[in-house]
Amino acid sequence: MTCNTSCRAETLMFVIFMLACSFIASCAANLNQDLEITWGDGRAKMLNNGNLLTLSLDKTSGSGFQSRNEYMFGKIDMQLKLVPGNSAGTVTAYYLSSQGPTHDEIDFEFLGNLTGDPYILHTNVFAQGKGSKEQQFYLWFDPTKDFHTYSVLWNPLSIIFFVDGTPIRQFKNSESIGVPFPKNQPMKIYSSLWNADDWATRGGLVKTDWSKAPFTASYANFKAQACIWSSGGSSCTSNSNDTWLTQGLDSTSQESIKSVQKNYMIYNYCTDTKRFPQGLPRECSVNI
């Protein structure tokens, strides 16, 4: 078959597009390559040729997905658009976790609220099965109107949480003072949308309004700069020159994180003396 002028032009444009995508990070990979739907009986959907993933919740069930790969350290980015309107009682969870009773975990959880009231961004870190390291924030934008990027940087030095590239929390490796740190167990990425109206909104006082169901959260532009774990080993070597493996907070980022925490943090376990009457956890002396 011969290719006419229009055909050749279309072919040339496709080649140019593919070359551009090899240099421009905004050309998102197909989510099917990295993520797989794991539960929900059809409530989770891959749309737009794999460029969009949605999770839904109704009175019968929520839904969820996980990454196809396990990771041992990485810089993980995901764009989310949260459940709009009256989302009270719902939780959209996006986290890294290993398996087993002594699992490690790094959490973003978005606690729904009544229409007009802000979402609460709940963060936590588990190491060797123990968590209770919660910090909570209000966001400085409406997370239901558009996609925003939520990122975790996890390396041997620290775990840093970002929102749209702005650091909001750092959990440093404090093994030198006896605090466990997630560094020995590979983790997959998980996300789920589920009903938690026994605690999610005002401690469970506000229940899910099922007349507003189905509730839907959307995901796009997943990116993992990470060490893939396979067959008991890591894809990264001792000679890896990935900058994120040694990245911390420079002075500008430290000021940024302090500003966010001053203006938007609503709970910090490291200041909750009623919860820890015998003394605050040891890592509170070194973490921002």
Side-chain angles (χ1 to χ4, degrees), residues 155-171:
N155 64 29
L157 303 177
S158 70
I159 296 162
I160 305 174
F161 297 78
F162 297 85
V163 176
D164 286 336
T166 299
I168 64 169
R169 176 182 184 180
Q170 181 180 38
F171 183 83

Side-chain angles (χ1 to χ4, degrees), residues 192-203:
S192 58
L193 176 56
W194 52 290
N195 178 43
D197 66 2
D198 57 335
W199 66 271
T201 307
R202 293 181 59 196

Side-chain angles (χ1 to χ4, degrees), residues 1-211:
M1 182 182 71
T2 58
C3 190
N4 59 25
T5 302
S6 175
C7 172
R8 287 195 295 271
E10 290 177 1
T11 302
L12 179 60
M13 289 299 294
F14 177 77
V15 171
I16 292 172
F17 174 78
M18 293 303 292
L19 286 172
C21 279
S22 67
F23 292 102
I24 300 173
S26 61
C27 294
N30 188 307
L31 297 177
N32 267 317
Q33 296 174 4
D34 299 296
L35 309 173
E36 58 181 342
I37 293 167
T38 49
W39 64 283
D41 292 328
R43 292 172 180 82
K45 300 181 185 299
M46 285 281 187
L47 303 169
N48 296 350
N49 296 316
N51 291 314
L52 178 68
L53 190 159
T54 61
L55 297 182
S56 292
L57 163 71
D58 57 32
K59 198 168 185 178
T60 301
S61 177
S63 52
F65 66 82
Q66 68 182 35
S67 62
R68 297 185 184 277
N69 291 318
E70 284 186 300
Y71 303 101
M72 179 63 82
F73 305 125
K75 174 68 161 48
I76 310 296
D77 303 314
M78 178 75 84
Q79 290 192 334
L80 280 77
K81 182 163 63 173
L82 300 179
V83 174
N86 183 357
S87 58
T90 71
V91 173
T92 305
Y94 162 56
Y95 59 103
L96 290 88
S97 182
S98 61
Q99 299 298 308
T102 58
H103 74 292
D104 296 336
E105 188 170 317
I106 303 169
D107 292 341
F108 276 112
E109 290 187 297
F110 303 89
L111 312 185
N113 218 328
L114 294 167
T115 302
D117 290 340
Y119 263 82
I120 291 175
L121 170 54
H122 175 99
T123 66
N124 201 357
V125 175
F126 286 73
Q128 298 178 17
K130 296 182 179 179
S132 300
K133 298 173 175 62
E134 303 92 344
Q135 290 185 358
Q136 295 183 337
F137 305 81
Y138 287 139
L139 296 167
W140 49 94
F141 51 83
D142 183 344
T144 72
K145 295 296 185 184
D146 206 347
F147 285 95
H148 292 270
T149 303
Y150 304 92
S151 308
V152 170
L153 171 63
W154 168 41
N155 64 29
L157 303 177
S158 70
I159 296 162
I160 305 174
F161 297 78
F162 297 85
V163 176
D164 286 336
T166 299
I168 64 169
R169 176 182 184 180
Q170 181 180 38
F171 183 83
K172 296 177 181 177
N173 185 336
S174 302
E175 290 178 304
S176 62
I177 57 173
V179 179
F181 184 81
K183 69 169 192 178
N184 297 315
Q185 301 185 77
M187 296 195 268
K188 283 192 172 186
I189 295 150
Y190 299 88
S191 190
S192 58
L193 176 56
W194 52 290
N195 178 43
D197 66 2
D198 57 335
W199 66 271
T201 307
R202 293 181 59 196
L205 295 177
V206 182
K207 301 300 182 181
T208 304
D209 181 356
W210 293 112
S211 71

